[in-house]
Amino acid sequence: MLKPSLLILAGDGIGPEVMEQVKRVISWFEERRGLAFDVSEALLGGSSFDVHGTPLTDDVMQQADQADAVLLGAVGGPAYDDLDFSVKPERGLLRLRKEMDLYANLRPAQCFDALADHSTLKREIVAGLDILIVRELTSGVYFGEPRGIIEDNEGGRIGINTQRYTSGEIQRVARSAFELARRRNNRVCSMDKANVMESGVLWREEVDAIHAREYPDVELSHMYADNGAMQLVRNPRQFDVIVTDNLFGDILSDCAAMLTGSLGMLPSASLGAATESGRPKALYEPVHGSAPDIAGQGLANPSACLLSFAMALRYSFDQGQEAERLEQAVEAVLAKGIRTRDLFQGADNEMHSSTEGMGDAVIAALEQSL
Ligand code: IPM
Ligand code: MG
């Protein structure tokens, strides 16, 4: 049988070091579970700019488009802050999302019991939290035209971005959210700013229409996104699936991440429509960024990247049980008190760990699971 292909784009900052641990785990699954992948690696972001003068070459774009799944570390860093917008590391990531048409970005925020005291919120607010943010990823203000910085007649400047959504773009991400809700607790909360934005009015109408026509069995509610941000920190467990646009989803998912104790814990999957193979086009990445302040020091938490690979096992390779095995291994390591710096509080039962030490512990936990 042909091995499914996996393209690794480790990227910048802490990307390569967290990805190193994922590569070890991929090898473990190959050796111990017989899951073989055809793994290749390429440059993305600043590391690609350094070599090729562009954050994403056409060649790598094509490799990503043809891969069964793409695993990404992180992009960006202060060295690239002054670059022209068109070649910033982030443009590479945005081009991947757009050209692969990865419109549904799944960002699950789960609070493992071992970390309930690590959130900035009280344990009783976050313990047992398990929500899923479905963020629209290929449209909205991130891509809307016109955009740019232009001069006005008085010698001043005007910065322009456009929030734009078509019915079709809203419908397809709404469907993803309803489908996912059916496999969870069957509730969707849609967040928009229909009180001030026409695009929000359309968003709400289209979500309502899809709901009435195709998913009447799912419980649907609507919330203004600002209230949503407040509710996420007031009582996050009221939510099951949240569906929202690209910009609100970017902001709300960082907010949700902190509920879990650390941004270093949050994985994500970006999925497109199913291809001929039956698999969706897919890219998996931790929600955290490149964290340049700690890069290269072995301090980064590889959990989010490991959990992103678990999502790949589930959504691209139909290996739900193996995904759970990996998720449980990460949870078991945390339950033992093994902590990278982002999670280390110095309590008696805690052991400080490097990035690699965390990888060692996860592999040991995987071995134990057999
Ligand atoms: C994210 C990031 C990206 C975004 C950046 C790196 C372009 O913040 O994935 O949440 O804004 O979408
Ligand atoms: Mg973000």
Side-chain angles (χ1 to χ4, degrees):
M1 222 176 71
L2 213 58
K3 293 189 221 171
S5 59
L6 199 53
L7 175 65
I8 294 184
L9 304 171
D12 309 323
I14 60 171
E17 57 201 285
V18 294
M19 195 60 84
E20 212 44 56
Q21 304 315 312
V22 176
K23 287 195 261 178
R24 296 174 65 198
V25 163
I26 293 172
S27 301
W28 185 88
F29 275 97
E30 172 149 23
E31 282 157 27
R32 305 293 278 159
R33 305 299 302 155
L35 295 183
F37 298 101
D38 186 1
V39 180
S40 53
E41 291 191 58
L43 297 175
L44 175 75
S47 56
S48 169
F49 178 81
D50 291 342
V51 179
H52 301 293
T54 168
L56 175 64
T57 63
D58 292 342
D59 178 45
V60 176
M61 181 64 238
Q62 199 184 349
Q63 285 180 49
D65 210 37
Q66 286 166 0
D68 289 313
V70 179
L71 275 182
L72 196 150
V75 293
Y80 310 103
D81 279 353
D82 295 329
L83 286 184
D84 186 71
F85 221 67
S86 61
V87 289
K88 272 192 191 299
E90 290 80 2
R91 297 310 304 174
L93 175 57
L94 294 173
R95 180 176 171 204
L96 276 174
R97 290 174 178 172
K98 186 71 178 174
E99 288 192 24
M100 290 171 74
D101 203 16
L102 306 170
Y103 59 85
N105 180 215
L106 282 47
R107 298 190 161 189
Q110 242 180 316
C111 184
F112 291 139
D113 200 50
L115 298 185
D117 291 318
H118 288 69
S119 172
T120 45
L121 298 190
K122 297 189 197 86
R123 167 179 271 274
E124 59 264 34
I125 303 289
V126 296
L129 178 77
D130 180 7
I131 63 179
L132 175 64
I133 296 186
V134 180
R135 166 189 177 193
E136 199 292 324
L137 201 61
T138 52
S139 185
V141 76
Y142 272 62
F143 297 98
E145 301 277 349
R147 65 184 299 160
I149 299 177
I150 59 170
E151 315 242 313
D152 68 13
N153 296 332
E154 278 96 55
R157 298 195 299 161
I158 308 174
I160 301 172
N161 290 94
T162 303
Q163 167 79 331
R164 180 179 187 280
Y165 269 105
T166 66
S167 302
E169 288 166 345
I170 300 166
Q171 288 162 0
R172 63 183 187 170
V173 74
R175 279 197 188 94
S176 300
F178 287 125
E179 292 288 341
L180 288 158
R182 275 183 178 163
R183 290 192 254 151
R184 295 171 46 97
N185 293 317
N186 218 32
R187 290 185 291 121
V188 171
C189 179
S190 171
M191 296 190 186
D192 59 46
K193 283 289 287 177
N195 50 346
V196 288
M197 298 166 82
E198 284 79 0
S199 57
V201 172
L202 184 71
W203 182 279
R204 199 171 276 223
E205 287 176 6
E206 294 295 348
V207 171
D208 269 335
I210 290 283
H211 175 246
R213 256 199 329 268
E214 299 172 32
Y215 301 94
D217 54 300
V218 180
E219 192 183 312
L220 171 67
S221 59
H222 299 279
M223 210 176 257
Y224 296 134
D226 52 345
N227 182 26
M230 192 264 276
Q231 295 296 337
L232 265 177
V233 289
R234 192 186 76 87
N235 176 20
R237 282 180 311 204
Q238 70 185 283
F239 299 113
D240 178 23
V241 174
I242 292 172
V243 64
T244 190
D245 80 9
N246 204 344
L247 182 60
F248 299 144
D250 180 43
I251 296 166
L252 294 169
S253 62
D254 266 26
C255 179
M258 267 323 286
L259 305 173
T260 69
S262 165
L263 192 53
M265 292 304 303
L266 231 72
S268 83
S270 304
L271 308 177
T275 62
E276 271 167 32
S277 68
R279 291 190 187 99
K281 286 231 170 123
L283 180 150
Y284 300 87
E285 59 176 315
V287 171
H288 64 66
S290 57
D293 52 323
I294 60 164
Q297 301 171 48
L299 296 173
N301 183 354
S303 299
C305 205
L306 290 166
L307 294 171
S308 298
F309 176 60
M311 291 187 87
L313 289 172
R314 177 172 294 117
Y315 292 106
S316 283
F317 303 121
D318 211 16
Q319 294 286 344
Q321 274 180 351
E322 299 302 324
E324 254 167 55
R325 183 189 300 281
L326 178 51
E327 287 158 357
Q328 281 164 9
V330 172
E331 183 164 11
V333 168
L334 295 168
K336 281 197 196 126
I338 298 174
R339 307 262 185 272
T340 41
R341 196 182 70 167
D342 54 321
L343 291 169
F344 187 71
Q345 293 179 327
D348 287 345
N349 60 349
E350 288 186 338
M351 277 156 286
H352 192 273
S353 165
S354 65
T355 307
E356 192 182 354
M358 190 81 188
D360 292 341
V362 168
I363 287 173
L366 285 171
E367 274 300 320
Q368 279 218 320
S369 75
L370 295 179

